[in-house]
Amino acid sequence: MALVQLRPSTSTIPLAEPFGIARGSRTEQSVVRVEVEAEGVVGRGEAAPVYYRGETTESALAFLELVQPPSDPFGLEAALPRDGDAAGRSALDAALHDWVGRRLGIPVWRLLGLSRQA
């Protein structure tokens, strides 16, 4: 297996329409993004921190910068830390699944045994 690289970042994306609840509304969402690269294949994942869990894009980014790149992206369970920032773990999980799907040439929904309509 070639060297695995993790590239975490953050960004703010506009929402398709305003999201509103009793406390207010917003028109954009900050997310943490991760790219996993190995064997010339790049998998991408992203997740939004959950504020009421105390998560921020900064906490997710800090978590991801401490994560050791997996030695084998196919070993999804072994590659994911058990504890830490949930948004960071979610983004990494999505990136690893995306990498495996791209490496095998199949979409993630099929990799997970789902129908396209799910």
Side-chain angles (χ1 to χ4, degrees), residues 6 8 32-34 45-50 55-57 59-65 67 80-81 83-96:
L6 295 183
V32 62
R33 293 180 171 180
V34 180
E46 71 179 33
V50 178
E55 297 176 353
T56 63
T57 53
S59 68
L61 190 60
F63 168 79
L64 288 165
E65 288 174 348
V67 170
L80 288 172
D83 298 314
D85 188 276
R89 286 193 337 263
S90 295
L92 178 56
D93 182 50
L96 289 167

Side-chain angles (χ1 to χ4, degrees), residues 45-114:
E46 71 179 33
V50 178
Y51 75 91
Y52 57 81
R53 290 185 177 168
E55 297 176 353
T56 63
T57 53
E58 292 79 14
S59 68
L61 190 60
F63 168 79
L64 288 165
E65 288 174 348
L66 294 175
V67 170
Q68 294 295 315
S71 58
D72 179 8
F74 281 106
L76 296 171
E77 290 297 319
L80 288 172
R82 300 273 181 219
D83 298 314
D85 188 276
R89 286 193 337 263
S90 295
L92 178 56
D93 182 50
L96 289 167
H97 278 85
D98 187 50
W99 185 90
V100 169
R102 289 175 186 273
R103 176 68 174 73
L104 297 176
I106 58 174
V108 173
W109 59 266
R110 182 168 288 151
L111 178 70
L112 297 176
L114 302 172

Side-chain angles (χ1 to χ4, degrees), residues 34-51:
V34 180
E35 288 186 346
V36 173
E37 183 173 357
E39 300 178 3
V41 176
V42 177
R44 294 176 179 86
E46 71 179 33
V50 178
Y51 75 91

